[in-house]
Amino acid sequence: MFFSLASWELGLIILAIVGGTAALGFAAGVYLREHSDTYREPFGVLQGALLGLVALLLAFGLSLALGRYEDRRAARDAVAGLLPRRSCEPSRSCPG
């Protein structure tokens, strides 16, 4: 579904999602400012859990990127191993 969208359409969807969640967070902050005494401690725990989740997602994404990098490097080295090497110096004429 997302692969068939144009870049500007995908950017608009992402902007709408980020803007909607920011507005939702702002509305929750305004509500919680009025009721801050009863909700202060549970949101500290929630904040820590969300920070841990973001760190986990970041680590997972970086490990996938590292795996793809190593696969590309191995493929490049395999192709380079198939290429013939020159057995003489460039200043002399090579046989063959």
Side-chain angles (χ1 to χ4, degrees):
M1 176 181 160
F2 290 114
F3 297 112
S4 63
L5 294 174
S7 295
W8 67 270
E9 292 172 332
L10 187 60
L12 191 62
I13 290 171
I14 291 172
L15 182 67
I17 291 171
V18 169
T21 55
L24 185 65
F26 182 76
V30 168
Y31 174 77
L32 292 175
R33 189 179 310 143
E34 298 170 359
H35 303 91
S36 64
D37 295 337
T38 59
Y39 291 116
R40 184 167 303 275
E41 187 63 32
F43 277 99
V45 173
L46 181 65
Q47 183 181 12
L50 287 176
L51 187 60
L53 179 65
V54 168
L56 181 69
L57 290 173
L58 181 63
F60 182 68
L62 289 175
S63 70
L64 287 176
L66 181 63
R68 288 191 303 264
Y69 171 74
E70 289 175 352
D71 290 343
R72 278 196 315 267
R73 195 166 96 186
R76 182 200 63 198
D77 292 343
V79 169
L82 297 175
L83 296 175
R85 293 182 180 231
R86 295 181 68 161
S87 61
C88 63
E89 296 176 13
S91 61
R92 289 195 252 160
S93 64
C94 296

